[in-house]
Amino acid sequence: IWLRPYLLPSDGLYRFTFDGEVNIAFHTTIANIGVITLHSYMIKITAAGLYDNSKGGQIVQLFNSEDLTFEKTPQTLTVHLRDDLTMQNNYTIRFNYAGQIRDDMQGFFHINYTDSDGNVKFLALTQSQRTNARSIFPCFDEPALKATFRLQISRPSIFKTVFNAELVRSVSEGNGRALDRFSATPPMSTYLVAFMLSELESDSSGYLTTIIRPGYVDKIPFAYQVTARAINAFEELTQQNYNQLGLPLMQIVGSPIFPHTGMENWGLVIYKEEVLINEPGYSDGWSDKQLTLNIITHEMAHMWFGNSVTMAWWSYFWL
């Protein structure tokens, strides 16, 4: 996945939009495949093509608008193929597209907050569960259809980017932008794909990183301790270390505004910031700490139950 979000006032009419490209590699296991149907919502496809990986990425077909069918209610995109796919073969389908950085706290969205100096700040982040990954990139947006995900994101230099997996490198693109490249996730469902662009402050110790507004860094040691102890407890319970699941890092984010108390994105768990903040004499009472305990242990449990092992369909979400 490659994304270029426009977040600055200087972006003019393009502000709060993004350009994207996704390359989806897949393997065919049956014959007579004449169409490919996946999910897409609030996305304008600008180019699409199919490539044969067994022949060095040779072009199989470039698609025009007549080859693409959108269905509004199921939010599907069907690609009509000129020839059936070869069975037991590897292909890549590529989409170039444009999308919206939304304001409804779904998919890829933006929020604003006021910093300690009274300045209005913006950040952009994601909420893919349950069916909003399809508004970030065309994909097979169902929990049983797992894939590994790699992200490249072109960002304004004033922001930092975090993703489910580790940052590999950042390079300057000039004109006040930088390109961040991240390593691959373990096989996981689309609803767990997450990233954030912000001016928040991060603090790391070992595999665990906290990310929050600068003025609150010294108010989250309790949340940090709970996270570390919860991970240790689930490792002991399951006899499987967290890093054995597939990711070597755990990042916990306190967002000034978020639609849920917490979201278990693998490796990048996002919380409403009040869940993490325990301010002495103000929000560090028994009930406040109990909320912190309840939400963090719930989200950490999801690393094993939900992320690594996932329900086949949303009707089993109660598990």
Side-chain angles (χ1 to χ4, degrees):
I1 306 162
W2 173 89
L3 299 173
R4 182 184 177 92
Y6 301 99
L7 294 165
L8 304 178
S10 57
D11 292 321
L13 295 176
Y14 289 99
R15 192 182 190 193
F16 301 135
T17 68
F18 65 93
D19 295 325
E21 178 183 303
V22 63
N23 292 273
I24 305 171
F26 63 94
H27 179 76
T28 53
T29 59
I30 60 174
N32 303 317
I33 298 175
V35 298
I36 300 170
T37 298
L38 60 164
H39 295 95
S40 179
Y41 178 60
M42 297 181 68
I43 282 175
K44 180 181 179 181
I45 305 295
T46 56
L50 180 68
Y51 303 85
D52 190 333
N53 296 346
S54 66
K55 297 180 180 178
Q58 178 179 311
I59 297 173
V60 176
Q61 184 178 349
L62 298 178
F63 304 103
N64 56 41
S65 58
E66 288 75 26
D67 300 319
L68 307 177
T69 302
F70 294 90
E71 293 288 342
K72 184 176 180 179
T73 299
Q75 300 176 349
T76 55
L77 164 62
T78 298
V79 181
H80 300 272
L81 307 176
R82 184 171 51 234
D83 301 302
D84 287 354
L85 299 180
T86 303
M87 188 167 65
Q88 301 299 336
N89 197 31
N90 296 318
Y91 295 92
T92 292
I93 190 165
R94 175 183 298 162
F95 297 99
N96 297 87
Y97 59 96
Q100 300 292 319
I101 303 175
R102 301 163 64 173
D103 59 5
D104 58 358
M105 292 193 286
Q106 298 184 73
F108 185 18
F109 66 95
H110 64 91
I111 62 169
N112 63 70
Y113 63 96
T114 304
D115 69 10
S116 57
D117 296 323
N119 301 309
V120 176
K121 299 282 188 177
F122 286 87
L123 63 84
L125 68 166
T126 58
Q127 173 58 29
S128 298
Q129 194 190 71
R130 302 187 177 183
T131 58
N132 287 301
R134 65 190 65 178
S135 68
I136 308 172
F137 53 98
C139 57
F140 298 99
D141 199 10
E142 296 182 358
L145 301 177
K146 294 190 175 186
T148 57
F149 298 88
R150 295 173 179 85
L151 177 70
Q152 297 186 50
I153 192 159
S154 169
R155 58 170 171 85
S157 298
I158 63 169
F159 293 111
K160 297 177 182 177
T161 312
V162 287
F163 175 57
N164 300 86
E166 316 100 294
L167 178 67
V168 175
R169 67 183 298 211
S170 295
V171 295
S172 173
E173 293 185 310
N175 297 318
R177 296 190 75 94
L179 180 69
D180 295 331
R181 293 188 176 97
F182 294 88
S183 60
T185 69
M188 68 181 196
S189 305
T190 48
Y191 77 86
L192 295 170
V193 173
F195 54 88
M196 180 178 71
L197 299 94
S198 76
E199 298 178 69
L200 303 184
E201 187 169 314
S202 64
D203 183 45
S204 299
S205 178
Y207 69 94
L208 182 55
T209 297
T210 56
I211 304 168
I212 202 159
R213 285 197 262 179
Y216 294 136
V217 172
D218 62 346
K219 296 179 174 62
I220 57 172
F222 180 71
Y224 178 93
Q225 293 168 18
V226 171
T227 302
R229 292 179 64 177
I231 291 173
N232 290 339
F234 287 117
E235 288 179 335
E236 183 177 347
L237 175 69
T238 63
Q239 292 298 293
Q240 189 173 32
N241 288 339
Y242 170 71
N243 60 12
Q244 291 178 303
L245 302 179
L247 278 176
L249 79 170
M250 169 57 68
Q251 305 160 101
I252 59 172
V253 176
S255 175
I257 301 171
F258 197 63
H260 307 288
T261 50
M263 175 59 208
E264 67 270 18
N265 309 303
W266 201 345
L268 183 63
V269 182
I270 302 176
Y271 300 92
K272 282 185 178 177
E273 64 181 19
E274 55 261 37
V275 172
L276 304 183
I277 296 168
N278 294 119
E279 190 167 352
Y282 179 65
S283 62
D284 66 341
W286 183 89
S287 62
D288 299 294
K289 288 187 174 180
Q290 190 64 48
L291 173 68
T292 301
L293 282 163
N294 286 349
I295 302 302
I296 290 179
T297 52
H298 174 102
E299 304 305 342
M300 291 304 109
H302 272 305
M303 302 304 117
W304 286 262
F305 308 102
N307 296 4
S308 179
V309 179
T310 311
M311 67 276 163
W313 188 245
W314 296 109
S315 55
Y316 303 105
F317 188 62
W318 61 272
L319 283 166

